[in-house]
Amino acid sequence: MANQPNKSATIFLYVIMATACSVIGSQASANGFDLSTIKSSRALDAIPYADNGKAVGMKITLSKNSLTYKAVKGKFALDAAGRFDLSKMAPSYNSVYKNADGAFIYAVKNWKEIESNNQSNIHFSGEQAPKYIYTYTAKYVPTGQRGIFVCTILNDDLDSFFTTASGHGRCDVFRAK
């Protein structure tokens, strides 16, 4: 009987292991890229790899409250909308969005204008203009470089996006300067 594990000790061990896994998992989350910290506009080039950024222009300009793609007519007017919270999503999406956890989310205030100005752009036709963007820094796996991820959400209901993951647009990765 002296060799049998104590139930309390076993439960305590499981709690410690779960806590450690939780802490390790939270360390894997993204470093949000907060636009409010930008002192002056930053022009960024996409990390060249396959189709990364080519379809909407390989360059963007970020400022505290705007985003401009080289190949898009108009400037996205942005307003802070919160942080990407992976815990709001179904567990089946965790592997897809794991690096975005903690990213800063911005509402595109003038998405109708952007859509109207870019009707001939395949990425904006049929109500496909981004309603939200989110930004974070992480390693771009294909090249191994750290970059600034700028991703779009086409769904105009952020809660619905988190619940269903429906309406994700695209992510492009830019050189972190």
Side-chain angles (χ1 to χ4, degrees), residues 110-120 124-129 131:
N110 64 335
W111 67 266
K112 288 182 182 181
E113 174 188 329
I114 296 291
E115 190 172 82
S116 176
N117 291 342
N118 293 279
Q119 290 179 3
S120 61
F124 295 94
S125 61
E127 299 181 6
Q128 295 299 304
K131 305 337 180 260

Side-chain angles (χ1 to χ4, degrees), residues 63-134:
S63 73
K64 287 182 187 234
N65 57 7
S66 70
L67 163 67
T68 306
Y69 283 96
K70 178 183 175 189
V72 174
K73 295 174 189 167
K75 184 184 286 193
F76 291 76
L78 304 176
D79 194 17
R83 301 288 293 264
F84 201 104
D85 186 354
L86 193 60
S87 70
K88 292 181 179 178
M89 300 188 93
S92 59
Y93 301 123
N94 285 355
S95 64
V96 176
Y97 293 102
K98 68 182 178 190
N99 291 328
D101 193 31
F104 286 84
I105 300 174
Y106 301 91
V108 178
K109 297 187 292 187
N110 64 335
W111 67 266
K112 288 182 182 181
E113 174 188 329
I114 296 291
E115 190 172 82
S116 176
N117 291 342
N118 293 279
Q119 290 179 3
S120 61
N121 185 325
I122 191 169
H123 296 284
F124 295 94
S125 61
E127 299 181 6
Q128 295 299 304
K131 305 337 180 260
Y132 296 91
I133 67 153
Y134 59 97

Side-chain angles (χ1 to χ4, degrees), residues 11 36 53 58 63 82 101 129 134 174:
I11 291 170
S36 73
M58 293 294 282
S63 73
D101 193 31
Y134 59 97
F174 299 88

